[in-house]
Short mmCIF file of all heavy atoms in Angstrom, two decimals:
data_model
loop_
_atom_site.label_atom_id
_atom_site.label_comp_id
_atom_site.label_asym_id
_atom_site.label_seq_id
_atom_site.Cartn_x
_atom_site.Cartn_y
_atom_site.Cartn_z
N LEU A 1 99.36 109.33 90.52
CA LEU A 1 98.11 108.90 91.15
C LEU A 1 98.00 109.52 92.53
O LEU A 1 99.00 109.61 93.25
CB LEU A 1 98.05 107.38 91.27
CG LEU A 1 98.03 106.57 89.98
CD1 LEU A 1 98.01 105.07 90.30
CD2 LEU A 1 96.84 106.94 89.11
N VAL A 2 96.81 109.92 92.91
CA VAL A 2 96.57 110.49 94.23
C VAL A 2 95.61 109.57 94.98
O VAL A 2 94.52 109.25 94.48
CB VAL A 2 95.96 111.90 94.13
CG1 VAL A 2 95.76 112.48 95.53
CG2 VAL A 2 96.84 112.81 93.29
N ALA A 3 96.02 109.14 96.17
CA ALA A 3 95.19 108.25 96.99
C ALA A 3 95.10 108.80 98.41
O ALA A 3 96.02 109.47 98.89
CB ALA A 3 95.78 106.84 97.02
N GLY A 4 94.00 108.50 99.06
CA GLY A 4 93.84 108.90 100.45
C GLY A 4 94.63 107.99 101.38
O GLY A 4 94.68 106.78 101.17
N ARG A 5 95.23 108.59 102.39
CA ARG A 5 95.93 107.79 103.40
C ARG A 5 94.94 106.96 104.22
O ARG A 5 95.23 105.83 104.61
CB ARG A 5 96.75 108.70 104.31
CG ARG A 5 97.38 108.00 105.51
CD ARG A 5 98.42 106.99 105.05
NE ARG A 5 98.97 106.24 106.17
CZ ARG A 5 98.43 105.13 106.67
NH1 ARG A 5 97.31 104.65 106.13
NH2 ARG A 5 98.99 104.49 107.66
N HIS A 6 93.78 107.53 104.47
CA HIS A 6 92.76 106.82 105.25
C HIS A 6 91.40 106.85 104.58
O HIS A 6 90.77 105.82 104.38
CB HIS A 6 92.63 107.44 106.64
CG HIS A 6 93.88 107.40 107.45
ND1 HIS A 6 94.40 106.24 107.95
CD2 HIS A 6 94.74 108.39 107.82
CE1 HIS A 6 95.52 106.50 108.62
NE2 HIS A 6 95.74 107.80 108.55
N TRP A 7 90.95 108.06 104.23
CA TRP A 7 89.53 108.25 103.97
C TRP A 7 89.21 108.30 102.49
O TRP A 7 89.89 108.94 101.70
CB TRP A 7 89.05 109.54 104.66
CG TRP A 7 89.38 109.55 106.11
CD1 TRP A 7 90.43 110.17 106.73
CD2 TRP A 7 88.70 108.83 107.13
NE1 TRP A 7 90.42 109.90 108.07
CE2 TRP A 7 89.37 109.08 108.35
CE3 TRP A 7 87.57 107.99 107.14
CZ2 TRP A 7 88.96 108.53 109.55
CZ3 TRP A 7 87.16 107.45 108.34
CH2 TRP A 7 87.85 107.72 109.53
N GLY A 8 88.12 107.64 102.14
CA GLY A 8 87.63 107.63 100.76
C GLY A 8 86.21 108.13 100.70
O GLY A 8 85.64 108.60 101.68
N GLY A 9 85.63 108.02 99.51
CA GLY A 9 84.25 108.44 99.31
C GLY A 9 83.70 107.85 98.04
O GLY A 9 84.34 107.07 97.34
N PHE A 10 82.49 108.26 97.73
CA PHE A 10 81.72 107.76 96.60
C PHE A 10 82.50 107.82 95.29
O PHE A 10 82.36 106.97 94.42
CB PHE A 10 80.45 108.62 96.51
CG PHE A 10 79.44 108.18 95.50
CD1 PHE A 10 78.78 106.98 95.63
CD2 PHE A 10 79.13 108.99 94.42
CE1 PHE A 10 77.83 106.58 94.71
CE2 PHE A 10 78.17 108.60 93.50
CZ PHE A 10 77.52 107.41 93.65
N GLN A 11 83.33 108.84 95.15
CA GLN A 11 84.01 109.13 93.89
C GLN A 11 85.43 108.57 93.83
O GLN A 11 86.18 108.87 92.90
CB GLN A 11 84.07 110.65 93.67
CG GLN A 11 84.86 111.41 94.74
CD GLN A 11 84.18 111.49 96.09
OE1 GLN A 11 82.98 111.72 96.18
NE2 GLN A 11 84.93 111.28 97.14
N ASP A 12 85.82 107.75 94.80
CA ASP A 12 87.18 107.19 94.86
C ASP A 12 87.14 105.70 94.52
O ASP A 12 86.12 105.04 94.70
CB ASP A 12 87.78 107.39 96.25
CG ASP A 12 87.81 108.86 96.66
OD1 ASP A 12 87.89 109.72 95.76
OD2 ASP A 12 87.77 109.15 97.87
N GLY A 13 88.29 105.17 94.07
CA GLY A 13 88.26 103.79 93.60
C GLY A 13 89.51 102.98 93.85
O GLY A 13 90.38 103.36 94.64
N VAL A 14 89.60 101.86 93.14
CA VAL A 14 90.63 100.84 93.34
C VAL A 14 91.43 100.68 92.05
O VAL A 14 90.88 100.73 90.95
CB VAL A 14 89.98 99.48 93.72
CG1 VAL A 14 91.02 98.38 93.78
CG2 VAL A 14 89.23 99.59 95.03
N ILE A 15 92.74 100.48 92.19
CA ILE A 15 93.62 100.11 91.08
C ILE A 15 94.47 98.93 91.53
O ILE A 15 95.09 98.98 92.60
CB ILE A 15 94.54 101.27 90.65
CG1 ILE A 15 93.73 102.42 90.06
CG2 ILE A 15 95.58 100.78 89.62
CD1 ILE A 15 94.56 103.65 89.75
N ASP A 16 94.52 97.88 90.72
CA ASP A 16 95.45 96.76 90.93
C ASP A 16 96.54 96.85 89.87
O ASP A 16 96.26 97.06 88.69
CB ASP A 16 94.73 95.41 90.81
CG ASP A 16 94.06 94.99 92.11
OD1 ASP A 16 94.06 95.79 93.07
OD2 ASP A 16 93.52 93.87 92.15
N MET A 17 97.78 96.61 90.29
CA MET A 17 98.91 96.70 89.37
C MET A 17 99.28 95.35 88.76
O MET A 17 100.18 95.27 87.92
CB MET A 17 100.12 97.30 90.10
CG MET A 17 99.92 98.74 90.57
SD MET A 17 99.42 99.88 89.26
CE MET A 17 100.77 99.71 88.10
N SER A 18 98.61 94.30 89.15
CA SER A 18 98.86 92.98 88.57
C SER A 18 97.65 92.09 88.79
O SER A 18 96.70 92.47 89.48
CB SER A 18 100.12 92.34 89.19
OG SER A 18 99.93 92.13 90.58
N GLY A 19 97.70 90.88 88.21
CA GLY A 19 96.62 89.92 88.40
C GLY A 19 95.37 90.28 87.62
O GLY A 19 95.36 91.14 86.73
N GLU A 20 94.28 89.61 87.94
CA GLU A 20 93.02 89.78 87.25
C GLU A 20 92.52 91.22 87.30
O GLU A 20 91.95 91.73 86.34
CB GLU A 20 91.97 88.85 87.88
CG GLU A 20 90.56 88.99 87.34
CD GLU A 20 90.39 88.53 85.90
OE1 GLU A 20 91.32 87.89 85.36
OE2 GLU A 20 89.33 88.81 85.31
N GLY A 21 92.75 91.89 88.42
CA GLY A 21 92.23 93.25 88.57
C GLY A 21 92.93 94.29 87.73
O GLY A 21 92.38 95.37 87.49
N GLN A 22 94.13 93.99 87.25
CA GLN A 22 94.91 94.97 86.51
C GLN A 22 94.20 95.42 85.23
O GLN A 22 94.29 96.58 84.83
CB GLN A 22 96.29 94.39 86.16
CG GLN A 22 97.21 95.35 85.44
CD GLN A 22 98.49 94.67 84.97
OE1 GLN A 22 98.52 93.46 84.76
NE2 GLN A 22 99.56 95.44 84.81
N LYS A 23 93.47 94.50 84.61
CA LYS A 23 92.88 94.78 83.31
C LYS A 23 91.67 95.73 83.38
O LYS A 23 91.23 96.25 82.36
CB LYS A 23 92.45 93.49 82.64
CG LYS A 23 91.24 92.81 83.30
CD LYS A 23 90.91 91.49 82.63
CE LYS A 23 89.65 90.87 83.23
NZ LYS A 23 89.35 89.56 82.63
N TYR A 24 91.16 95.97 84.58
CA TYR A 24 89.93 96.73 84.71
C TYR A 24 90.13 98.24 84.66
O TYR A 24 89.15 98.99 84.59
CB TYR A 24 89.20 96.36 86.01
CG TYR A 24 88.49 95.03 85.95
CD1 TYR A 24 89.10 93.87 86.40
CD2 TYR A 24 87.21 94.94 85.42
CE1 TYR A 24 88.46 92.64 86.35
CE2 TYR A 24 86.54 93.72 85.36
CZ TYR A 24 87.18 92.57 85.83
OH TYR A 24 86.53 91.37 85.75
N THR A 25 91.36 98.70 84.74
CA THR A 25 91.61 100.13 84.69
C THR A 25 92.89 100.41 83.94
O THR A 25 93.88 99.68 84.08
CB THR A 25 91.66 100.76 86.11
OG1 THR A 25 92.11 102.12 86.02
CG2 THR A 25 92.56 99.98 87.04
N TYR A 26 92.89 101.44 83.14
CA TYR A 26 94.02 101.78 82.29
C TYR A 26 95.30 101.98 83.11
O TYR A 26 96.40 101.69 82.66
CB TYR A 26 93.68 103.06 81.52
CG TYR A 26 94.70 103.46 80.48
CD1 TYR A 26 94.72 102.85 79.24
CD2 TYR A 26 95.64 104.44 80.74
CE1 TYR A 26 95.64 103.22 78.27
CE2 TYR A 26 96.57 104.82 79.79
CZ TYR A 26 96.56 104.19 78.55
OH TYR A 26 97.49 104.56 77.60
N PHE A 27 95.15 102.46 84.32
CA PHE A 27 96.30 102.87 85.12
C PHE A 27 97.05 101.70 85.74
O PHE A 27 98.17 101.87 86.22
CB PHE A 27 95.85 103.88 86.19
CG PHE A 27 95.20 105.08 85.55
CD1 PHE A 27 93.82 105.16 85.44
CD2 PHE A 27 95.96 106.08 85.00
CE1 PHE A 27 93.22 106.23 84.81
CE2 PHE A 27 95.38 107.17 84.37
CZ PHE A 27 94.00 107.24 84.28
N GLY A 28 96.46 100.50 85.68
CA GLY A 28 97.19 99.32 86.09
C GLY A 28 98.32 98.97 85.15
O GLY A 28 99.21 98.19 85.50
N GLY A 29 98.32 99.55 83.95
CA GLY A 29 99.36 99.28 82.97
C GLY A 29 100.39 100.37 82.84
O GLY A 29 101.24 100.32 81.94
N LEU A 30 100.34 101.39 83.72
CA LEU A 30 101.28 102.50 83.64
C LEU A 30 102.30 102.45 84.78
O LEU A 30 102.08 101.81 85.81
CB LEU A 30 100.52 103.84 83.73
CG LEU A 30 99.53 104.16 82.62
CD1 LEU A 30 98.92 105.53 82.86
CD2 LEU A 30 100.19 104.11 81.25
N ASN A 31 103.41 103.13 84.57
CA ASN A 31 104.36 103.38 85.65
C ASN A 31 103.85 104.57 86.45
O ASN A 31 103.71 105.67 85.90
CB ASN A 31 105.75 103.70 85.08
CG ASN A 31 106.33 102.53 84.32
OD1 ASN A 31 106.58 101.47 84.88
ND2 ASN A 31 106.53 102.70 83.01
#
């Protein structure tokens, strides 16, 4: 996964690795 240290934009997003948010993206279930 590639994430910005500071700056984001329209095309960037969020991943949660646990909890309710984990189910919203496939990558919350990967190593």
Side-chain angles (χ1 to χ4, degrees):
L1 296 178
V2 182
R5 173 65 184 87
H6 300 290
W7 306 99
F10 186 66
Q11 62 289 317
D12 303 332
V14 174
I15 294 174
D16 276 6
M17 296 305 302
S18 63
E20 175 68 11
Q22 183 187 25
K23 70 183 184 183
Y24 284 95
T25 171
Y26 187 80
F27 302 96
L30 297 181
N31 296 297

